[in-house]
Amino acid sequence: NKGDEYSNGGIGGQALDIYTSPEAKSKLSQTEDGYVFYLDGEQVYLLGYKGKEKVLTLPESFQGREYGIYGYAFSADTELFVVTIPDNVVSIGEYAFSDCESLAEVYVGKGVGNIEEGAFYNCAALVSVKFNGNVGSLGALAFSNCKSLARIELPDSVSSIGINAFSDCIALEEVKLSKELKVIGQGAFDGCSALVGITIPSGVEIIGKWAFRGCESLISIVFEERDIWYYAADESFAHGRRLEVSVPEVNAVNLVIKYNGYYIKRVLQDI
């Protein structure tokens, strides 16, 4: 069955469509340079690549239309080295580039609105990610376990960082967060043992628990907005307690060790 990962050997787990008779009209199309596209009405998806090039600039469009990169499209391509995602690509699907063990550089065009769950999970050689604009959110595990990634600068369009988005990026030393950021998800930087300092932008309202757990090198967390912050055991904040955020080195100790199992919330008035 379509989308069923348990029947028929699991072939439908990531399927957009399954054709059961030779008369069924295929919605697949392969370009001369090896890209496989899927047409679903007005929606177009890039399903994968059958060519031999390892430094890729993805097609600008397909039949004049923008498209999304489908989930698992390039997953486990162990030779892919560099990928440039042009402006007419609107999304990067779940685990689209996961386990690409040789992928070192990624350029994300301004059309991408969201980077879905695990999109670059476990890309061990990834050292450079450059954004050109409008990404609104990073999904859970989006860059988790990218063990060579030393720095990341998020575009100011990013409003949320998903659960464990950068967890276990053990080389990550420098992070510049978006000016429009509102949510830092649970465990977002968990296990980033090389991270030294970070600035929390003034628009951030929620920091999930364990966001900085295991950041053993972290010595400074600067809060741009020092309005009332609370920490609590759950998201209801029914029993929240005041958190002082005026001293960066104290913030680091508190969020890494003392309050790492708590949610942190900024409010406009006392709870």
Side-chain angles (χ1 to χ4, degrees):
N1 295 323
K2 177 180 176 182
D4 185 350
E5 60 184 289
Y6 303 105
S7 302
N8 304 312
I11 62 171
Q14 297 300 319
L16 282 166
D17 243 325
I18 295 176
Y19 299 99
T20 58
S21 69
E23 293 79 19
K25 182 179 180 181
S26 176
K27 298 178 181 179
L28 297 176
S29 181
Q30 182 171 327
T31 64
E32 291 183 358
D33 48 358
Y35 293 99
V36 180
F37 285 90
Y38 175 89
L39 287 76
D40 185 16
E42 294 300 314
Q43 301 295 319
V44 181
Y45 298 96
L46 174 59
L47 293 191
Y49 175 67
K50 295 183 178 296
K52 298 183 181 299
E53 299 296 326
K54 300 308 173 186
V55 177
L56 294 180
T57 297
L58 302 185
E60 288 290 337
S61 61
F62 180 73
Q63 297 181 354
R65 288 188 281 182
E66 62 186 19
Y67 63 90
I69 300 173
Y70 197 61
Y72 294 87
F74 294 87
S75 180
D77 183 335
T78 58
E79 297 183 19
L80 182 61
F81 182 61
V82 177
V83 62
T84 298
I85 300 169
D87 291 345
N88 279 335
V89 174
V90 297
S91 62
I92 303 174
E94 60 180 18
Y95 297 94
F97 295 93
S98 61
D99 297 302
C100 290
E101 61 183 30
S102 299
L103 182 61
E105 299 178 20
V106 174
Y107 302 87
V108 181
K110 65 183 180 181
V112 174
N114 296 302
I115 296 177
E116 302 293 343
E117 177 179 337
F120 296 94
Y121 172 75
N122 202 32
C123 291
L126 188 62
V127 296
S128 176
V129 181
K130 295 183 179 179
F131 299 92
N132 188 26
N134 299 310
V135 175
S137 65
L138 304 181
L141 300 166
F143 293 93
S144 176
N145 216 37
C146 292
K147 295 186 180 298
S148 299
L149 188 63
R151 54 189 55 83
I152 192 81
E153 181 175 346
L154 299 181
D156 287 336
S157 53
V158 174
S159 62
S160 67
I161 298 174
I163 295 172
N164 291 107
F166 292 96
S167 62
D168 297 315
C169 291
I170 58 174
L172 190 62
E173 297 178 356
E174 300 177 23
V175 176
K176 183 178 179 181
L177 298 178
S178 163
K179 292 179 181 178
E180 300 301 318
L181 189 63
K182 296 187 181 303
V183 177
I184 299 174
Q186 180 174 313
F189 298 96
D190 188 0
C192 293
S193 54
L195 187 63
V196 175
I198 193 166
T199 296
I200 309 297
S202 59
V204 172
E205 299 171 359
I206 292 284
I207 301 174
K209 61 182 178 179
W210 303 313
F212 299 101
R213 180 176 60 178
C215 295
E216 57 192 39
S217 300
L218 194 60
I219 58 174
S220 172
I221 299 178
V222 175
F223 285 80
E224 287 187 342
E225 179 54 72
R226 296 183 182 179
D227 280 350
I228 300 168
W229 288 84
Y230 281 84
Y231 70 95
D234 60 59
E235 292 178 282
S236 73
F237 283 84
H239 303 289
R241 295 186 179 184
R242 181 78 173 259
L243 174 65
E244 298 295 338
V245 296
S246 59
V247 183
E249 57 268 31
V250 173
N251 298 336
V253 171
N254 283 345
L255 271 70
V256 173
I257 301 173
K258 189 172 181 180
Y259 302 140
N260 65 29
Y262 293 86
Y263 294 92
I264 311 296
K265 181 180 182 181
R266 182 169 67 88
V267 295
L268 298 179
Q269 59 186 11
D270 287 347
I271 295 177

